[in-house]
Amino acid sequence: MNHASLTIDPALALSEVDPRLYGSFVEHMGRCVYTGIYEPGHPQADERGFRRDVSALVRELGVPLLRYPGGNFVSGYTWEDGIGPRAERPRRLDLAWRSIETNQVGVDEFIGWAASVGSVPMMAVNLGTRGVDAARHLVEYCNHPSGTYLSDLRRANGSADPYGVKLWCLGNEMDGPWQIGHKTAYEYGRLAAETAKAMRRVDPAIELSACGSSHARMPTFGSWEATVLAETYDLVDYVSLHSYYEERAGDRGSFLASAVDLDRFIEAVVATCDHVRAVGRHRKRINLAVDEWNVWYQSRFAGEENLDWDEAPRLIEDTYSVTDAVVVGDLLISLLRHADRVKIGCLAQLVNVIAPIRTEPGGPAWRQASFHPFALTSRHGRGSVLRTQVDSPVYETAAHGEVPVLDAVAVAGADPSAVTLFAVNRDQHQEMVVDLDLRALPALATGEHVAVFDDDPDAVNTAAQPDRVTPRRRDDVKVADRRATVVLPPLSWSMLRLRGGAA
Ligand code: AHR
């Protein structure tokens, strides 16, 4: 059995959590939209064609922000194709995913649906095949009240009130050679700056995110951000980073420490932003949008060149295990630990495509194992992140060097006598006894422990067994004398809620 200790002190507040940290991502890719959120004719479809069963799960997941409509898809997208009478909308080739886009869902349907599930869009504009004009027109269509061609077109299409879309992505992964309209950092930086200027002239209240690196192993990582921000610093609010993880060659120890890699990636991007700030004598700080992150078994994807121009093909529908769920929970711990600079996070994606929710066409919808740590963190990880000093044993990994066995972060809620600890025990075989120093929180008297773990760390949820993996209550929290102890199972994600009241 391992032992670790940590101190929780509300005086050591790092930052308020921006609720947009708990965003997700809906791309026109595979079955995320079609037969995912939208399936007219399904027994659960509402009058607009959206699946009620899926909407209920999205509400339960708790995603206040949804990035849309891509992803690689957006770099070839003509947003005007997706508005107006459905029968007149064109079928198009989607070059990103070698699929057919029917345009039966577009901006109006998506924004309406997002509101119905308690979410707002983070809208991406096409800076691959298009540019300033298409982007400024989309802002006008969405946000201008009335009295112009595009705002009146929105009204004619059924939305009298402007949508007030606040957050916008200036393209997607423009550093990637796979991207349609891929650019050098300077080319993209200039285009992003001019697009940002025009978009802000239409609506000065918007916030803009520039494309950072598609992953930390990109050859241009670091210099890309520096060049792009040198061109755009005063015009943007965020720079993005994308990060996906998978277990490689059976190296579970490294995989379980994926959050260490995300920590380093985030800290390197923060350093680059602050370097550009210093060089340019800027006052404001650029914050981070981790607007694609998840576990994704990319090694199992045959590649888009092998796809066959299908409508809503089954693409990268990864099935997530308990181990994957623990890593997803730990990646959220990493995002929370950087809540002073990471304001936006988007779990990629929402339904079917590397997603916490799965569906069958005409059939059920269910929660993947990874749904659970996300939903619990989104619900209970609101408030103020505390700087959490962890004293843990370490182990050696091939991918990340020496890493702590215990990863944890504490969040103080609005109620000052309640603190929530999110923790991961990366040891695959041994329990971890965690000793919490609560001297700064004398009112805490009770604790509730919920964990995701299993005798079989490869256990998954399926349509036939949708609740094989669920969070389990553990009756092992002891609070006394301003200390608490809890026992974390091997290879587990845990949430510990400490409260005041009778012991
Ligand atoms: O989320 C799947 C794809 O991953 C997105 O389209 C792209 O932005 C990223 O490479």
Side-chain angles (χ1 to χ4, degrees):
M1 189 174 290
N2 289 312
H3 289 262
S5 59
L6 56 88
T7 304
I8 301 180
D9 184 343
L12 302 179
L14 171 75
S15 170
E16 286 296 300
V17 179
D18 188 324
R20 297 177 301 175
L21 200 69
Y22 300 117
S24 183
F25 174 35
V26 171
E27 178 166 5
H28 282 245
M29 173 181 179
R31 299 193 310 113
C32 187
V33 174
Y34 304 110
T35 74
I37 60 173
Y38 176 80
E39 190 179 345
H42 188 279
Q44 293 273 353
D46 64 17
E47 58 296 342
R48 299 162 306 161
F50 288 96
R51 284 181 59 159
R52 288 192 178 89
D53 53 348
V54 175
S55 298
L57 289 176
V58 173
R59 277 185 219 105
E60 182 186 328
L61 184 66
V63 282
L65 182 77
L66 287 169
R67 184 167 178 253
Y68 177 84
N72 295 343
F73 170 80
V74 80
S75 296
Y77 184 48
T78 302
W79 66 265
E80 298 88 336
D81 287 347
I83 59 171
R86 280 201 167 111
E88 292 167 24
R89 297 186 191 177
R91 290 166 63 83
R92 298 272 193 201
L93 296 182
D94 161 22
L95 304 188
W97 302 112
R98 227 178 130 77
S99 307
I100 298 294
E101 173 55 49
T102 63
N103 283 303
Q104 292 304 292
V105 171
V107 169
D108 296 310
E109 291 85 13
F110 179 75
I111 293 179
W113 174 77
S116 77
V117 295
S119 202
V120 295
M122 178 189 201
M123 194 70 78
V125 299
N126 175 352
L127 293 191
T129 58
R130 306 187 81 192
V132 181
D133 236 26
R136 72 173 174 114
H137 285 156
L138 182 55
V139 180
E140 183 180 335
Y141 183 84
C142 289
N143 289 4
H144 195 71
S146 64
T148 64
Y149 172 73
L150 287 168
S151 55
D152 289 341
L153 187 57
R154 182 199 67 242
R155 292 167 67 86
N157 287 338
S159 299
D161 293 332
Y163 296 132
V165 177
K166 175 104 178 147
L167 194 53
W168 297 79
C169 301
L170 293 161
N172 174 72
E173 293 190 350
M174 298 307 297
D175 62 327
W178 59 86
Q179 202 68 213
I180 301 165
H182 162 59
K183 291 169 178 55
T184 65
Y186 180 71
E187 287 166 347
Y188 168 70
R190 285 294 306 125
L191 178 60
E194 292 308 318
T195 307
K197 240 160 68 183
M199 291 169 78
R200 282 194 190 284
R201 283 189 192 176
V202 178
D203 182 354
I206 61 175
E207 291 186 331
L208 291 166
S209 177
C211 289
S213 291
S214 302
H215 54 75
R217 298 172 313 282
M218 291 298 289
T220 49
F221 171 50
S223 66
W224 172 274
E225 285 80 355
T227 305
V228 168
L229 287 176
E231 299 305 318
T232 59
Y233 201 96
D234 284 328
L235 292 158
V236 303
D237 305 284
Y238 308 96
V239 67
S240 72
L241 52 136
H242 293 176
S243 211
Y244 292 105
Y245 297 93
E246 66 188 294
E247 185 174 327
R248 289 171 199 275
D251 181 4
R252 189 155 286 186
S254 292
F255 178 52
L256 285 166
S258 297
V260 171
D261 182 79
L262 183 57
D263 287 342
R264 292 174 185 163
F265 190 9
I266 289 170
E267 285 156 25
V269 176
V270 167
T272 308
C273 292
D274 291 350
H275 165 77
V276 180
R277 177 176 183 243
V279 171
R281 275 74 168 159
H282 300 283
R283 288 182 74 111
K284 80 167 183 192
R285 283 205 157 80
I286 299 288
N287 285 321
L288 274 53
V290 185
D291 56 19
E292 285 187 37
W293 68 270
N294 203 348
V295 171
W296 174 8
Y297 286 87
Q298 281 175 282
S299 51
R300 296 179 194 158
F301 178 45
E304 52 277 4
E305 61 282 6
N306 294 309
L307 301 173
D308 212 12
W309 302 120
D310 290 322
E311 264 179 50
R314 285 183 188 267
L315 282 190
I316 59 171
E317 299 194 2
D318 287 3
T319 297
Y320 292 123
S321 66
V322 168
T323 304
D324 298 324
V326 168
V327 170
V328 165
D330 202 13
L331 294 171
L332 279 165
I333 290 174
S334 169
L335 296 182
L336 283 169
R337 185 170 26 249
H338 297 96
D340 56 333
R341 297 302 291 271
V342 178
K343 300 297 173 186
I344 290 154
C346 298
L347 176 71
Q349 299 186 4
L350 184 65
V351 183
N352 289 326
V353 178
I354 48 171
I357 298 168
R358 288 279 293 274
T359 69
E360 275 303 316
W366 68 97
R367 302 167 191 82
Q368 294 236 54
S370 60
F371 182 102
H372 297 293
F374 188 98
L376 288 167
T377 309
S378 174
R379 189 166 332 133
H380 300 291
R382 309 284 178 115
S384 180
V385 177
L386 307 181
R387 293 176 202 274
T388 314
Q389 186 67 42
V390 177
D391 187 4
S392 163
V394 293
Y395 69 105
E396 191 60 31
T397 64
H400 318 294
E402 193 176 82
V403 302
V405 179
L406 172 69
D407 195 16
V409 72
V411 180
D415 168 2
S417 66
V419 170
T420 303
L421 183 78
F422 301 100
V424 162
N425 177 8
R426 294 174 174 146
D427 193 299
Q428 299 176 50
H429 309 290
Q430 297 191 60
E431 290 184 329
M432 160 81 72
V433 180
V434 183
D435 188 19
L436 303 154
D437 181 334
L438 303 176
R439 270 174 294 184
L441 288 157
L444 295 184
T446 62
E448 234 176 75
H449 180 193
V450 174
V452 175
F453 66 103
D454 203 280
D455 287 344
D456 175 6
D458 297 315
V460 297
N461 291 339
T462 59
Q465 268 198 302
D467 294 319
R468 166 70 182 79
V469 181
T470 54
R472 298 196 225 162
R473 287 199 176 280
R474 309 249 309 163
D475 194 17
D476 57 6
V477 187
K478 295 192 180 71
V479 187
D481 302 330
R482 300 181 182 187
R483 305 198 77 79
T485 56
V486 62
V487 182
L488 310 182
L491 207 170
S492 62
W493 173 90
S494 287
M495 181 181 77
L496 181 63
R497 302 192 68 214
L498 296 160
R499 290 210 195 84

